[in-house]
Amino acid sequence: MIQESQLPRAGVVENLVDGRPGFNRRFWRSGMTMLGLVMLLFLVLFSFVGPLFYPLSATATNLLATDASPSAQFPLGTDSVGHNVLAQLMVGGQSSLEVGFAAAAVAMLFGTLYGLISGVAPAFVDSIMMRIVDILLSIPSIFILLFLNVVFTPSVGIMVLVLASTSWLGVSRIVRGETMSIKGQVYVEAARATGTGVWRIMLRYLLPNFIGTVLVAGTFQVADAILAMAGLSFLGLGLPPPTPNWGGMLSDGMNYMFQNSWWLIYPPGLCILIAEVSINLIGDGLRSAIETRER
Amino acid sequence: MIKYIIRRLLEAIPTVLGVTILSFVLIHIVPGSPVRILLGSHYTPYRAQLLSQSLGLNKPLGVQYFVWLGNLLHGNFGFSYTYNQPVVYLMLQALPHTIIIVVVAVLLAHLFAVFLGSVQAYFEDTKFDRIVTVVNYFFYSMPTFWLAVLLIIFFAIDLPWFPAGGIVNTQLTTPTFVDWARHLVLPIAALFLVSVAGWARYMRASMREALLQDYVRTARMKGASEFRVIFVHALRNSILPLVTLFGLSLPSLLAGALFVEEVFNYPGMGLLYWDAVNARDFPVILGVTVFIGLVTVLGNLIADILYGMIDPRIQYA
């Protein structure tokens, strides 16, 4: 989560645009960031390239090999209906990553636009728009998400929209705050005086100043979306079967907790954890790289 | 100060009203009418008409909203479809269970996070600090539900110290306090562990800043012990952001409670909501959503007011 104190200040707008070398050095040379990138790369390869090397079906059931512990045939065992856990993890990763990134992208686009409009709009429109955000933020998103997933039978597209429907809020707040703090700058007034259109001012004069902050927020949104999707699936309201999902696999595995079927519980949990840690590391790396640039 | 509190309270009213409108609208985008759900296999068009008349569902949506809002103000949250009991009654039964685990976990987590973050900041960049940072990162990124499952495996199955769920041992003839407390340990531990990590991170950053301030140097110069410097001089200032953070983290705490209650089959508000969602029990869904929105708004308000009380630099106009 981005805190107010981590946002760039209005007075430093001028030196934002030409700081590239500093940013690159900061970002790429941080060990923790690299670790995050390597972990994420591993997950991407595992989910999307892995099935090419391990082309066994994730959805085929095998009633002759149910609850099998890991063996040469099934490296991570099978579940109660004989699903191949390793194959399921790979395919489950695909939907998690796709939905996570897509939801964050939608949330970022919408949140940025909303925040920009709210920031430049007349005061009363702004206060109504921000009040709406306050209201939506008052209800913990998982409560809204659970409900929406009952109403709309989830498909990948709907899942993306449902997750984005709550995660754009934070972005819009940040963008609105940024917009407010720089819209009074002289160069913006100059642009306005020369007859520049309001859209052009928003997108060319205001947005570039805090695009980095938006990207940082967006990175954390990816982590949040993946976690939220896993959580929904864990509660039985994710993508419908047979699409495997890490959260759903974990909740199935929970039924076999007492049988010591560790391969049903640790691998999906670890996958979620790796996704969360890697994306959070990248987000932190981005943030500190951008922050330093602004000091 | 009193004026400020009153002003903030008044400002919160539109937000609360907005929460009620939002919940009401959400419920009404559900395809299919509640009448059909209520009647089930007894559905005939005539009965549907009678029922919607008696429930007031044939009135315009706006009118329905105000009727519902009026009932809310009288503490009438409606009637549960599945339990056949007033929603308020169900919520009042569930609420104390949630309050106890959330409050205990939050208090412990705050105390521990303040201590841990302060010590980490003091020993910044030592091996200790780095190890704790990594461990924190691990717990910070850990999904609550997986953590809860792991706690059950470790401390209820492998080491059978605590019960794996519920709130009473059904084999006991009379419920005892010890038995009840034993059931609370793992749910509280789960909420505690996921909260500590995030707060300790903030506390570390906040304390690090405080330790660089001039007044800390002054305190050291006049001979205050290091313990006193950290936990008396620097702590007072560095703890401030955590008060706001508490208000902001309420929604995620309640979300965490939902998962914890589901995993441990713990009969709190989260489990009530989850059951209601699965059973499409809309009055309960609506009631819990409004209630939780109210709690969040109030929590933020209290955090704001507390912040003002603790920080004398804030002047109220």
Side-chain angles (χ1 to χ4, degrees):
Chain A
M1 263 255 259
I2 310 294
Q3 294 301 300
E4 201 74 34
S5 61
Q6 286 150 352
L7 305 178
R9 303 286 173 275
V12 291
V13 167
E14 292 77 11
N15 56 35
L16 279 186
V17 190
D18 56 355
R20 289 285 145 82
F23 170 81
N24 278 337
R25 203 167 54 233
R26 284 274 160 189
F27 183 70
W28 297 108
R29 291 212 182 151
S30 151
M32 294 296 260
T33 315
M34 283 321 290
L35 180 67
L37 284 168
V38 169
M39 284 164 74
L40 185 62
L41 188 69
F42 164 75
L43 268 190
V44 171
L45 290 177
F46 175 74
S47 311
F48 291 94
V49 183
L52 302 178
F53 291 93
Y54 189 73
L56 294 181
S57 168
T59 47
T61 54
N62 181 350
L63 293 178
L64 296 175
T66 57
D67 294 317
S69 51
S71 61
Q73 194 192 355
F74 303 109
L76 283 174
T78 60
D79 70 5
S80 57
V81 289
H83 285 135
N84 183 330
V85 172
L86 180 62
Q88 276 204 312
L89 277 183
M90 290 174 172
V91 178
Q94 292 176 6
S95 58
S96 295
L97 293 170
E98 284 165 4
V99 171
F101 277 92
V106 173
M108 241 167 73
L109 275 177
F110 187 76
T112 304
L113 209 57
Y114 191 94
L116 273 170
I117 293 174
S118 183
V120 297
F124 77 97
V125 177
D126 173 47
S127 73
I128 290 173
M129 286 178 80
M130 280 299 119
R131 215 8 94 68
I132 292 173
V133 171
D134 285 350
I135 290 164
L136 287 167
L137 277 174
S138 310
I139 301 174
S141 54
I142 190 74
F143 287 79
I144 300 181
L145 296 179
L146 266 180
F147 179 74
L148 287 179
N149 266 25
V150 169
V151 178
F152 305 106
T153 320
S155 65
V156 169
I158 286 176
M159 197 70 166
V160 168
L161 290 182
V162 163
L163 290 173
S165 75
T166 57
S167 52
W168 63 274
L169 298 161
V171 181
S172 77
R173 259 197 184 169
I174 294 167
V175 170
R176 185 256 182 190
E178 294 284 330
T179 306
M180 293 300 262
S181 71
I182 52 171
K183 71 170 181 181
Q185 297 264 327
V186 182
Y187 78 95
V188 181
E189 264 168 41
R192 196 168 289 148
T194 55
T196 314
V198 65
W199 284 101
R200 199 176 154 77
I201 288 187
M202 282 184 344
L203 299 178
R204 297 297 296 275
Y205 287 79
L206 298 173
L207 183 62
N209 289 310
F210 48 79
I211 189 92
T213 316
V214 174
L215 272 177
V216 173
T219 310
F220 290 117
Q221 297 294 347
V222 176
D224 284 356
I226 292 178
L227 186 63
M229 181 169 153
L232 286 172
S233 310
F234 181 80
L235 294 177
L237 288 163
L239 296 173
T243 322
N245 179 280
W246 296 335
M249 292 171 69
L250 189 54
S251 104
D252 290 340
M254 239 186 91
N255 299 327
Y256 301 91
M257 258 182 335
F258 291 90
Q259 276 106 10
N260 219 351
S261 306
W262 59 266
W263 60 92
L264 296 179
I265 290 170
Y266 292 98
L270 265 177
C271 282
I272 304 172
L273 186 65
I274 293 174
E276 294 302 296
V277 168
S278 64
I279 296 168
N280 281 336
L281 281 173
I282 295 169
D284 280 346
L286 263 181
R287 179 163 66 198
S288 58
I290 284 167
E291 256 187 4
T292 332
R293 190 154 57 102
E294 279 158 5
R295 257 183 213 131
Chain B
M1 186 72 203
I2 301 281
K3 247 189 205 160
Y4 173 77
I5 295 177
I6 292 173
R7 205 188 69 215
R8 286 304 316 266
L9 270 172
L10 289 178
E11 276 175 4
I13 290 176
T15 314
V16 172
L17 274 180
V19 168
T20 63
I21 294 174
L22 172 73
S23 321
F24 192 78
V25 168
L26 273 180
I27 289 288
H28 282 85
I29 58 172
V30 179
S33 74
V35 174
R36 204 172 261 278
I37 298 170
L38 277 176
L39 286 173
S41 57
H42 301 288
Y43 182 89
T44 63
Y46 177 67
R47 281 185 181 149
Q49 203 194 344
L50 274 187
L51 186 64
S52 63
Q53 217 156 39
S54 69
L55 290 174
L57 293 173
N58 53 348
K59 296 200 183 92
L61 212 56
V63 176
Q64 284 187 45
Y65 169 74
F66 283 107
V67 170
W68 173 73
L69 190 66
N71 285 337
L72 270 194
L73 292 176
H74 289 99
N76 178 2
F77 280 70
F79 221 68
S80 158
Y81 296 163
T82 44
Y83 297 93
N84 246 335
Q85 279 173 332
V87 174
V88 174
Y89 176 74
L90 293 169
M91 292 206 303
L92 285 178
Q93 268 189 330
L95 189 59
H97 294 308
T98 299
I99 290 181
I100 185 106
I101 55 167
V102 170
V103 168
V104 174
V106 165
L107 282 181
L108 291 177
H110 253 95
L111 280 176
F112 188 68
V114 165
F115 176 76
L116 188 68
S118 306
V119 176
Q120 260 188 288
Y122 187 76
F123 293 107
E124 197 193 334
D125 277 337
T126 60
K127 202 173 253 171
F128 165 79
D129 178 35
R130 286 198 202 120
I131 292 173
V132 175
T133 303
V134 170
V135 173
N136 269 353
Y137 221 96
F138 186 73
F139 279 109
Y140 180 76
S141 304
M142 181 98 104
T144 313
F145 45 90
W146 193 45
L147 182 67
V149 171
L150 292 186
L151 283 175
I152 292 182
I153 292 180
F154 295 154
F155 299 108
I157 298 174
D158 290 350
L159 301 168
W161 292 348
F162 300 105
I167 43 165
V168 280
N169 183 347
T170 42
Q171 286 168 342
L172 287 179
T173 40
T174 47
T176 63
F177 177 79
V178 176
D179 175 56
W180 175 66
R182 272 165 47 89
H183 282 85
L184 296 183
V185 172
L186 291 185
I188 290 175
L191 278 179
F192 170 84
L193 286 171
V194 289
S195 316
V196 156
W199 289 340
R201 278 178 62 163
Y202 279 99
M203 190 60 204
R204 178 178 177 275
S206 176
M207 177 59 91
R208 221 178 61 171
E209 233 164 77
L211 284 175
L212 297 174
Q213 302 297 315
D214 287 339
Y215 67 83
V216 168
R217 199 182 314 147
T218 313
R220 280 202 176 117
M221 255 163 30
K222 65 174 199 185
S225 68
E226 287 299 281
F227 181 85
R228 214 182 137 76
V229 168
I230 304 175
F231 289 107
V232 177
H233 292 270
L235 186 72
R236 285 197 185 183
N237 281 298
S238 50
I239 214 168
L240 285 173
L242 249 70
V243 176
T244 318
L245 193 63
F246 166 71
L248 291 176
S249 59
L250 254 182
S252 65
L253 263 172
L254 292 169
L258 186 141
F259 283 111
V260 167
E261 288 176 7
E262 201 270 328
V263 174
F264 289 101
N265 198 19
Y266 182 89
M269 293 290 268
L271 195 62
L272 179 68
Y273 186 81
W274 189 66
D275 284 342
V277 164
N278 276 317
R280 317 278 191 273
D281 191 342
F282 293 117
V284 177
I285 296 176
L286 201 51
V288 175
T289 313
V290 169
F291 181 80
I292 283 186
L294 199 70
V295 169
T296 312
V297 174
L298 278 181
N300 273 320
L301 197 67
I302 292 170
D304 267 9
I305 292 169
L306 263 182
Y307 194 96
M309 284 174 156
I310 303 173
D311 192 345
R313 286 169 300 188
I314 293 183
Q315 297 290 320
Y316 299 103

